Coordinates of all heavy atoms in Angstrom, one line a residue:
M1 N 0.8 -1.2 0.0 CA 0.0 0.0 0.0 C 0.9 1.2 0.0 O 1.9 1.3 0.7 CB -0.9 0.0 1.2 CG -2.0 1.0 1.2 SD -3.2 0.9 2.5 CE -2.1 1.4 3.9
A2 N 0.5 2.2 -0.8 CA 1.3 3.4 -0.9 C 0.8 4.5 0.0 O 1.7 5.3 0.6 CB 1.2 3.9 -2.3
A3 N -0.5 4.7 0.2 CA -1.0 5.8 1.0 C -2.3 5.5 1.6 O -3.0 4.6 1.1 CB -1.0 7.1 0.2
Q4 N -2.7 6.2 2.5 CA -4.1 6.1 3.1 C -4.7 7.4 3.3 O -4.0 8.3 3.8 CB -3.9 5.3 4.5 CG -5.2 5.1 5.2 CD -5.1 4.3 6.4 OE1 -4.1 3.5 6.6 NE2 -5.9 4.5 7.4
V5 N -5.9 7.6 2.8 CA -6.5 8.9 2.9 C -7.7 8.8 3.8 O -8.5 7.9 3.7 CB -7.0 9.4 1.5 CG1 -7.7 10.7 1.6 CG2 -5.8 9.5 0.6
E6 N -7.8 9.7 4.8 CA -8.9 9.7 5.7 C -9.8 10.9 5.5 O -9.2 12.0 5.5 CB -8.5 9.5 7.1 CG -8.0 8.1 7.5 CD -7.8 8.0 9.0 OE1 -8.3 8.8 9.7 OE2 -7.1 7.0 9.3
R7 N -11.1 10.7 5.4 CA -12.0 11.9 5.3 C -12.8 11.9 6.5 O -13.6 11.0 6.7 CB -12.8 11.7 4.0 CG -13.7 12.9 3.8 CD -14.5 12.7 2.5 NE -15.5 13.8 2.4 CZ -16.5 13.8 1.5 NH1 -16.6 12.8 0.7 NH2 -17.4 14.7 1.5
P8 N -12.7 12.9 7.4 CA -13.4 12.9 8.6 C -14.9 13.0 8.4 O -15.4 13.7 7.5 CB -12.9 14.2 9.3 CG -11.7 14.6 8.5 CD -11.9 14.1 7.2
R9 N -15.7 12.3 9.2 CA -17.1 12.4 9.1 C -17.7 12.6 10.5 O -17.1 12.1 11.5 CB -17.7 11.1 8.5 CG -17.4 11.0 7.0 CD -18.2 9.8 6.4 NE -17.8 8.5 7.0 CZ -18.2 7.4 6.6 NH1 -19.1 7.3 5.6 NH2 -17.8 6.3 7.1
R10 N -18.8 13.3 10.6 CA -19.3 13.5 12.0 C -19.9 12.3 12.6 O -20.7 11.6 11.9 CB -20.4 14.6 11.8 CG -19.9 16.0 12.3 CD -20.9 17.0 12.2 NE -21.2 17.5 10.8 CZ -22.1 18.3 10.5 NH1 -22.9 18.8 11.4 NH2 -22.3 18.7 9.3
R11 N -19.6 12.0 13.8 CA -20.2 10.9 14.6 C -20.0 9.6 14.0 O -20.7 8.6 14.3 CB -21.7 11.2 14.8 CG -21.9 12.2 16.0 CD -23.4 12.5 16.2 NE -24.0 13.0 15.0 CZ -25.2 13.6 14.9 NH1 -25.9 13.6 16.0 NH2 -25.7 14.1 13.8
R12 N -19.1 9.5 13.0 CA -18.9 8.1 12.4 C -17.4 8.0 12.2 O -16.6 9.0 12.2 CB -19.6 8.0 11.1 CG -21.0 7.5 11.4 CD -21.6 6.8 10.1 NE -21.9 7.8 9.1 CZ -22.3 7.5 7.9 NH1 -22.4 6.3 7.5 NH2 -22.6 8.4 7.0
D13 N -17.0 6.8 12.0 CA -15.5 6.6 11.7 C -15.2 7.3 10.4 O -16.0 7.4 9.5 CB -15.3 5.1 11.5 CG -15.4 4.4 12.9 OD1 -15.2 5.0 13.9 OD2 -15.7 3.2 12.9
P14 N -14.0 7.8 10.3 CA -13.6 8.5 9.1 C -13.6 7.6 7.9 O -13.4 6.4 8.0 CB -12.2 9.0 9.4 CG -11.7 8.2 10.5 CD -12.9 7.8 11.3
L15 N -14.0 8.2 6.8 CA -14.0 7.4 5.5 C -12.6 7.2 5.1 O -11.8 8.1 4.9 CB -14.8 8.2 4.5 CG -15.4 7.5 3.3 CD1 -16.5 6.6 3.8 CD2 -16.0 8.5 2.3
V16 N -12.2 5.9 5.0 CA -10.8 5.6 4.7 C -10.7 5.1 3.3 O -11.4 4.3 2.9 CB -10.2 4.6 5.7 CG1 -8.8 4.3 5.4 CG2 -10.4 5.1 7.1
A17 N -9.7 5.7 2.6 CA -9.4 5.2 1.2 C -8.0 4.7 1.2 O -7.1 5.4 1.6 CB -9.6 6.3 0.2
Y18 N -7.8 3.5 0.8 CA -6.5 3.0 0.7 C -6.0 3.1 -0.8 O -6.6 2.7 -1.7 CB -6.4 1.5 1.1 CG -6.9 1.3 2.5 CD1 -8.1 0.8 2.8 CD2 -6.0 1.6 3.5 CE1 -8.6 0.6 4.1 CE2 -6.4 1.4 4.8 CZ -7.7 0.9 5.1 OH -8.1 0.7 6.4
L19 N -4.9 3.8 -0.9 CA -4.3 4.0 -2.3 C -3.2 3.0 -2.5 O -2.3 2.8 -1.7 CB -3.8 5.4 -2.4 CG -4.8 6.5 -2.0 CD1 -4.2 7.9 -2.3 CD2 -6.1 6.4 -2.9
Y20 N -3.2 2.4 -3.7 CA -2.2 1.5 -4.0 C -1.5 1.9 -5.3 O -2.1 2.6 -6.1 CB -2.8 0.1 -4.4 CG -3.6 -0.5 -3.2 CD1 -4.9 -0.2 -2.9 CD2 -2.9 -1.4 -2.4 CE1 -5.5 -0.8 -1.8 CE2 -3.6 -2.0 -1.3 CZ -4.9 -1.7 -1.0 OH -5.5 -2.2 0.0
R21 N -0.2 1.6 -5.3 CA 0.5 1.8 -6.6 C 0.0 0.8 -7.6 O -0.1 -0.4 -7.3 CB 2.0 1.6 -6.4 CG 2.6 2.7 -5.6 CD 4.1 2.5 -5.5 NE 4.8 3.7 -4.8 CZ 5.1 4.8 -5.4 NH1 4.8 5.0 -6.7 NH2 5.6 5.8 -4.7
I22 N -0.3 1.3 -8.8 CA -0.9 0.5 -9.8 C -0.1 -0.7 -10.1 O -0.6 -1.8 -10.3 CB -1.2 1.3 -11.1 CG1 -2.4 2.3 -10.8 CG2 -1.6 0.4 -12.3 CD1 -2.6 3.3 -11.9
E23 N 1.2 -0.5 -10.2 CA 2.1 -1.6 -10.6 C 2.2 -2.7 -9.5 O 2.5 -3.8 -9.8 CB 3.5 -1.1 -11.0 CG 4.3 -0.5 -9.8 CD 4.1 1.0 -9.8 OE1 3.1 1.5 -10.3 OE2 5.0 1.7 -9.2
Q24 N 1.8 -2.3 -8.3 CA 1.8 -3.3 -7.2 C 0.4 -3.9 -7.0 O 0.4 -5.0 -6.5 CB 2.2 -2.6 -5.9 CG 3.7 -2.2 -5.9 CD 4.0 -1.4 -4.6 OE1 3.2 -1.2 -3.8 NE2 5.3 -1.0 -4.5
A25 N -0.6 -3.3 -7.5 CA -1.9 -3.8 -7.3 C -2.2 -4.9 -8.4 O -1.9 -4.7 -9.6 CB -3.0 -2.7 -7.5
K26 N -2.6 -6.0 -7.9 CA -2.9 -7.1 -8.8 C -4.4 -7.4 -8.8 O -5.0 -7.4 -7.8 CB -2.2 -8.4 -8.3 CG -0.7 -8.3 -8.4 CD -0.1 -8.9 -9.7 CE 1.4 -9.2 -9.6 NZ 2.2 -8.0 -9.2
P27 N -5.0 -7.6 -10.0 CA -6.4 -8.0 -10.0 C -6.6 -9.3 -9.3 O -5.7 -10.2 -9.4 CB -6.7 -8.1 -11.5 CG -5.4 -8.3 -12.2 CD -4.4 -7.6 -11.3
V28 N -7.7 -9.4 -8.6 CA -8.0 -10.7 -7.8 C -8.1 -11.8 -8.8 O -7.5 -12.9 -8.6 CB -9.3 -10.5 -7.0 CG1 -9.5 -11.8 -6.2 CG2 -9.1 -9.4 -6.0
R29 N -8.9 -11.7 -9.8 CA -9.1 -12.7 -10.8 C -8.8 -12.2 -12.2 O -9.6 -11.3 -12.7 CB -10.5 -13.3 -10.8 CG -10.8 -14.2 -9.6 CD -12.2 -14.7 -9.6 NE -13.1 -13.6 -9.3 CZ -14.4 -13.7 -9.3 NH1 -15.0 -14.8 -9.6 NH2 -15.2 -12.7 -9.1
P30 N -7.7 -12.5 -12.8 CA -7.4 -12.0 -14.1 C -8.4 -12.4 -15.1 O -8.9 -13.5 -15.1 CB -6.0 -12.6 -14.4 CG -5.9 -13.8 -13.5 CD -6.7 -13.5 -12.3
M31 N -8.7 -11.5 -16.0 CA -9.6 -11.8 -17.1 C -9.0 -12.8 -18.1 O -8.0 -12.5 -18.7 CB -10.1 -10.5 -17.8 CG -10.9 -9.6 -16.9 SD -12.6 -10.3 -16.5 CE -13.4 -10.1 -18.1
T32 N -9.7 -13.9 -18.3 CA -9.2 -14.8 -19.3 C -9.9 -14.5 -20.6 O -11.0 -13.9 -20.7 CB -9.5 -16.3 -18.9 OG1 -10.9 -16.4 -18.8 CG2 -8.9 -16.6 -17.5
P33 N -9.4 -15.0 -21.8 CA -10.1 -14.8 -23.1 C -11.5 -15.3 -23.0 O -12.4 -14.7 -23.6 CB -9.2 -15.6 -24.0 CG -7.8 -15.6 -23.4 CD -8.1 -15.7 -21.9
A34 N -11.7 -16.4 -22.3 CA -13.1 -16.9 -22.2 C -14.0 -16.0 -21.5 O -15.2 -15.8 -21.9 CB -13.1 -18.3 -21.5
K35 N -13.5 -15.3 -20.5 CA -14.3 -14.4 -19.7 C -14.6 -13.1 -20.5 O -15.7 -12.6 -20.5 CB -13.5 -14.0 -18.4 CG -13.6 -15.0 -17.3 CD -13.0 -14.5 -16.1 CE -13.1 -15.5 -15.0 NZ -12.4 -15.1 -13.7
W36 N -13.5 -12.7 -21.3 CA -13.8 -11.5 -22.2 C -14.8 -11.8 -23.2 O -15.7 -11.0 -23.5 CB -12.5 -11.1 -22.9 CG -11.6 -10.3 -22.0 CD1 -10.3 -10.6 -21.6 CD2 -11.8 -9.0 -21.5 NE1 -9.8 -9.6 -20.8 CE2 -10.7 -8.6 -20.7 CE3 -12.9 -8.1 -21.6 CZ2 -10.7 -7.4 -20.0 CZ3 -12.9 -6.9 -20.9 CH2 -11.7 -6.6 -20.2
A37 N -14.8 -13.1 -23.7 CA -15.8 -13.5 -24.8 C -17.2 -13.5 -24.2 O -18.1 -13.0 -24.8 CB -15.4 -14.8 -25.3
A38 N -17.3 -14.0 -22.9 CA -18.6 -14.0 -22.3 C -19.1 -12.6 -22.0 O -20.3 -12.3 -22.2 CB -18.5 -14.7 -20.9
L39 N -18.2 -11.7 -21.7 CA -18.5 -10.3 -21.4 C -19.0 -9.6 -22.7 O -20.0 -9.0 -22.7 CB -17.3 -9.5 -20.9 CG -17.6 -8.2 -20.2 CD1 -18.2 -8.5 -18.8 CD2 -16.3 -7.5 -20.0
V40 N -18.3 -9.9 -23.8 CA -18.7 -9.3 -25.1 C -20.1 -9.8 -25.5 O -21.0 -9.1 -26.0 CB -17.7 -9.7 -26.2 CG1 -18.2 -9.3 -27.6 CG2 -16.4 -8.9 -25.9
K41 N -20.3 -11.1 -25.3 CA -21.6 -11.8 -25.6 C -22.7 -11.2 -24.8 O -23.8 -10.9 -25.3 CB -21.5 -13.3 -25.4 CG -22.5 -14.1 -26.1 CD -22.2 -15.6 -25.9 CE -23.4 -16.4 -26.4 NZ -23.3 -17.8 -26.0
A42 N -22.4 -11.0 -23.5 CA -23.4 -10.4 -22.6 C -23.8 -9.0 -23.0 O -24.9 -8.6 -23.0 CB -22.9 -10.5 -21.2
N43 N -22.8 -8.2 -23.4 CA -23.0 -6.8 -23.8 C -23.8 -6.8 -25.1 O -24.6 -5.9 -25.3 CB -21.7 -6.1 -23.9 CG -21.1 -5.6 -22.6 OD1 -21.9 -5.4 -21.7 ND2 -19.8 -5.4 -22.5
A44 N -23.4 -7.7 -26.0 CA -24.1 -7.8 -27.3 C -25.6 -8.1 -27.1 O -26.5 -7.5 -27.7 CB -23.5 -8.8 -28.2
A45 N -25.9 -9.0 -26.1 CA -27.3 -9.3 -25.8 C -28.0 -8.1 -25.2 O -29.2 -7.9 -25.5 CB -27.3 -10.5 -24.8
R46 N -27.3 -7.3 -24.4 CA -27.9 -6.2 -23.8 C -28.2 -5.1 -24.9 O -29.0 -4.2 -24.6 CB -27.0 -5.6 -22.7 CG -27.0 -6.5 -21.5 CD -25.9 -6.1 -20.5 NE -26.2 -4.8 -20.0 CZ -25.2 -4.1 -19.4 NH1 -24.0 -4.5 -19.3 NH2 -25.5 -2.9 -18.9
R47 N -27.4 -5.1 -26.0 CA -27.6 -4.1 -27.0 C -28.7 -4.4 -28.0 O -29.2 -3.6 -28.7 CB -26.3 -3.9 -27.8 CG -25.2 -3.2 -27.1 CD -24.2 -2.6 -28.0 NE -23.8 -3.5 -29.1 CZ -22.7 -4.3 -29.0 NH1 -22.0 -4.3 -28.0 NH2 -22.4 -5.1 -30.0
M48 N -29.1 -5.7 -28.0 CA -30.1 -6.2 -29.0 C -31.5 -5.8 -28.5 O -31.9 -6.1 -27.4 CB -30.0 -7.7 -29.2 CG -30.7 -8.0 -30.5 SD -30.8 -9.8 -30.7 CE -32.3 -10.2 -29.7
C49 N -32.2 -5.1 -29.4 CA -33.6 -4.7 -29.0 C -34.5 -5.9 -29.1 O -34.6 -6.5 -30.2 CB -34.0 -3.6 -30.0 SG -35.7 -3.1 -29.9
P50 N -35.3 -6.2 -28.1 CA -36.2 -7.3 -28.1 C -37.4 -7.0 -29.1 O -38.1 -7.9 -29.4 CB -36.7 -7.4 -26.7 CG -36.5 -6.1 -26.1 CD -35.3 -5.5 -26.8
Q51 N -37.6 -5.8 -29.4 CA -38.7 -5.4 -30.3 C -38.4 -5.7 -31.8 O -39.1 -6.3 -32.5 CB -39.1 -3.9 -30.1 CG -40.4 -3.5 -30.7 CD -41.6 -4.0 -29.8 OE1 -41.4 -4.3 -28.6 NE2 -42.7 -4.1 -30.4
C52 N -37.3 -5.1 -32.2 CA -36.9 -5.2 -33.7 C -35.7 -6.1 -33.9 O -35.3 -6.3 -35.0 CB -36.6 -3.8 -34.3 SG -35.2 -3.0 -33.5
H53 N -35.2 -6.7 -32.8 CA -34.1 -7.6 -32.9 C -32.9 -7.1 -33.6 O -32.2 -7.8 -34.3 CB -34.5 -9.0 -33.5 CG -35.6 -9.6 -32.7 ND1 -35.4 -10.3 -31.5 CD2 -37.0 -9.6 -32.9 CE1 -36.6 -10.7 -31.1 NE2 -37.6 -10.3 -31.9
A54 N -32.7 -5.8 -33.5 CA -31.5 -5.2 -34.2 C -30.5 -4.7 -33.1 O -30.9 -4.4 -32.0 CB -32.0 -4.0 -35.0
D55 N -29.2 -4.7 -33.5 CA -28.2 -4.2 -32.5 C -28.3 -2.7 -32.5 O -28.1 -2.0 -33.5 CB -26.8 -4.7 -33.0 CG -25.7 -4.3 -32.0 OD1 -26.0 -3.4 -31.2 OD2 -24.7 -4.9 -32.1
A56 N -28.8 -2.2 -31.4 CA -29.0 -0.8 -31.3 C -27.7 0.0 -31.3 O -27.7 1.2 -31.5 CB -29.8 -0.5 -30.0
G57 N -26.6 -0.7 -31.0 CA -25.3 0.0 -31.0 C -25.0 0.6 -29.6 O -24.0 1.2 -29.4
Y58 N -25.9 0.4 -28.7 CA -25.7 0.8 -27.3 C -26.6 -0.1 -26.5 O -27.4 -0.8 -27.0 CB -26.2 2.3 -27.1 CG -27.6 2.6 -27.7 CD1 -28.7 2.3 -26.9 CD2 -27.7 3.1 -29.0 CE1 -30.0 2.5 -27.4 CE2 -29.0 3.3 -29.5 CZ -30.1 3.0 -28.7 OH -31.3 3.3 -29.3
V59 N -26.3 -0.1 -25.2 CA -27.0 -1.0 -24.3 C -28.5 -0.4 -24.2 O -28.7 0.7 -23.9 CB -26.3 -1.0 -22.9 CG1 -27.2 -1.8 -21.9 CG2 -25.0 -1.7 -23.0
I60 N -29.4 -1.3 -24.4 CA -30.8 -0.9 -24.3 C -31.1 -0.5 -22.9 O -30.9 -1.2 -21.9 CB -31.7 -2.1 -24.6 CG1 -31.4 -2.7 -26.0 CG2 -33.2 -1.8 -24.5 CD1 -31.7 -1.7 -27.2
P61 N -31.6 0.8 -22.7 CA -32.0 1.2 -21.4 C -33.1 0.4 -20.8 O -34.1 0.0 -21.4 CB -32.5 2.7 -21.6 CG -32.0 3.0 -23.0 CD -31.9 1.7 -23.8
V62 N -32.9 0.0 -19.5 CA -33.8 -0.9 -18.8 C -35.2 -0.2 -18.7 O -36.2 -0.8 -18.8 CB -33.3 -1.2 -17.4 CG1 -34.4 -2.1 -16.7 CG2 -32.0 -2.0 -17.5
S63 N -35.2 1.2 -18.6 CA -36.4 1.9 -18.5 C -37.3 1.8 -19.7 O -38.5 1.9 -19.7 CB -36.1 3.4 -18.1 OG -35.3 3.9 -19.1
L64 N -36.6 1.7 -20.9 CA -37.3 1.6 -22.2 C -37.6 0.2 -22.5 O -38.7 -0.1 -22.9 CB -36.5 2.2 -23.3 CG -36.3 3.8 -23.2 CD1 -35.5 4.2 -24.4 CD2 -37.6 4.5 -23.2
G65 N -36.6 -0.7 -22.3 CA -36.8 -2.1 -22.6 C -36.7 -2.4 -24.1 O -37.0 -3.5 -24.6
M66 N -36.4 -1.4 -24.9 CA -36.3 -1.5 -26.3 C -35.4 -0.3 -26.9 O -35.1 0.6 -26.1 CB -37.7 -1.5 -27.0 CG -38.5 -0.2 -26.7 SD -40.2 -0.3 -27.2 CE -40.9 -1.3 -25.9
C67 N -35.1 -0.4 -28.1 CA -34.2 0.7 -28.7 C -35.1 2.0 -28.8 O -36.3 1.9 -28.9 CB -33.6 0.2 -30.0 SG -34.7 0.1 -31.4
A68 N -34.4 3.1 -29.0 CA -35.1 4.4 -29.0 C -36.1 4.5 -30.2 O -37.2 4.9 -30.0 CB -34.0 5.5 -29.1
P69 N -35.7 4.0 -31.4 CA -36.7 4.1 -32.5 C -38.0 3.3 -32.2 O -39.1 3.7 -32.6 CB -35.9 3.5 -33.7 CG -34.5 3.7 -33.4 CD -34.4 3.6 -31.9
C70 N -37.8 2.2 -31.5 CA -39.0 1.4 -31.2 C -39.8 2.1 -30.0 O -41.0 2.1 -30.1 CB -38.6 0.0 -30.7 SG -38.0 -1.1 -32.0
A71 N -39.1 2.6 -29.1 CA -39.7 3.3 -27.9 C -40.4 4.6 -28.4 O -41.5 4.9 -27.9 CB -38.7 3.5 -26.8
Y72 N -39.7 5.3 -29.3 CA -40.3 6.5 -29.8 C -40.4 6.5 -31.3 O -39.5 6.9 -32.0 CB -39.4 7.7 -29.4 CG -39.1 7.7 -27.9 CD1 -37.8 7.3 -27.5 CD2 -40.0 8.2 -27.0 CE1 -37.5 7.4 -26.1 CE2 -39.7 8.2 -25.7 CZ -38.5 7.8 -25.2 OH -38.2 7.8 -23.9
P73 N -41.5 5.9 -31.8 CA -41.7 5.9 -33.3 C -41.7 7.3 -33.9 O -41.9 8.3 -33.2 CB -43.1 5.3 -33.4 CG -43.3 4.5 -32.2 CD -42.6 5.3 -31.1
A74 N -41.3 7.3 -35.2 CA -41.1 8.6 -35.9 C -42.4 9.5 -35.8 O -42.3 10.7 -35.6 CB -40.8 8.4 -37.3
D75 N -43.6 8.9 -35.8 CA -44.8 9.7 -35.7 C -44.8 10.5 -34.4 O -45.2 11.7 -34.4 CB -46.0 8.8 -35.8 CG -46.2 8.2 -37.2 OD1 -45.2 8.4 -38.0 OD2 -47.2 7.5 -37.4
E76 N -44.5 9.8 -33.3 CA -44.6 10.5 -32.0 C -43.5 11.5 -31.9 O -43.7 12.6 -31.3 CB -44.4 9.4 -30.9 CG -45.6 8.5 -30.7 CD -45.4 7.6 -29.6 OE1 -44.7 7.9 -28.6 OE2 -46.0 6.5 -29.7
Q77 N -42.3 11.3 -32.6 CA -41.2 12.3 -32.5 C -41.7 13.5 -33.3 O -41.4 14.6 -32.8 CB -40.0 11.7 -33.2 CG -39.1 11.0 -32.1 CD -37.8 10.5 -32.7 OE1 -37.5 10.7 -33.9 NE2 -37.1 9.8 -32.0
R78 N -42.4 13.4 -34.4 CA -42.9 14.6 -35.1 C -43.9 15.4 -34.3 O -43.9 16.6 -34.3 CB -43.5 14.1 -36.4 CG -42.5 14.0 -37.6 CD -43.2 14.2 -38.9 NE -44.2 13.1 -39.2 CZ -43.9 11.9 -39.6 NH1 -42.6 11.6 -40.0 NH2 -44.8 11.0 -39.9
A79 N -44.8 14.6 -33.6 CA -45.8 15.3 -32.8 C -45.2 16.0 -31.6 O -45.7 17.1 -31.2 CB -46.8 14.3 -32.3
A80 N -44.1 15.5 -31.1 CA -43.5 16.1 -29.9 C -42.5 17.2 -30.2 O -42.7 18.1 -30.9 CB -42.6 15.1 -29.2
Ligands
LIG1 ZN1 -35.9 -1.7 -31.7

């Protein structure tokens, strides 16, 4: 550990942040190619619109549950 930062808080223990040198810090579980592939696949699934089954190019917002063109058809966009 390289440093420790304490941020005082009222009536509670200070907020402590432990700072590590990046070259000394090791990830707990290194990412394997299989894990990266799973991550990419999971992200691709999250980008696919369940309505039009197209890759929206971004993660589908949970609040919409579909891509923007499906959530907001052109007709409604003109009216708004
Ligand atoms: Zn869509």
Side-chain angles (χ1 to χ4, degrees):
M1 192 174 69
Q4 179 177 332
V5 177
E6 285 193 14
R7 185 181 170 187
R9 290 188 296 186
R10 260 183 281 177
R11 280 178 299 192
R12 276 200 286 176
D13 290 335
L15 203 64
V16 182
Y18 299 104
L19 306 182
Y20 297 86
R21 286 185 177 277
I22 289 172
E23 65 267 23
Q24 289 174 1
K26 295 263 196 308
V28 179
R29 281 178 295 174
M31 289 294 285
T32 62
K35 281 186 181 176
W36 279 116
L39 198 71
V40 167
K41 199 177 167 185
N43 279 336
R46 289 168 65 199
R47 288 203 313 268
M48 201 188 79
C49 173
Q51 194 75 20
C52 62
H53 300 282
D55 186 340
Y58 49 85
V59 174
I60 301 296
V62 177
S63 56
L64 293 180
M66 57 188 81
C67 70
C70 286
Y72 306 106
D75 290 6
E76 288 182 29
Q77 270 184 3
R78 271 203 299 274

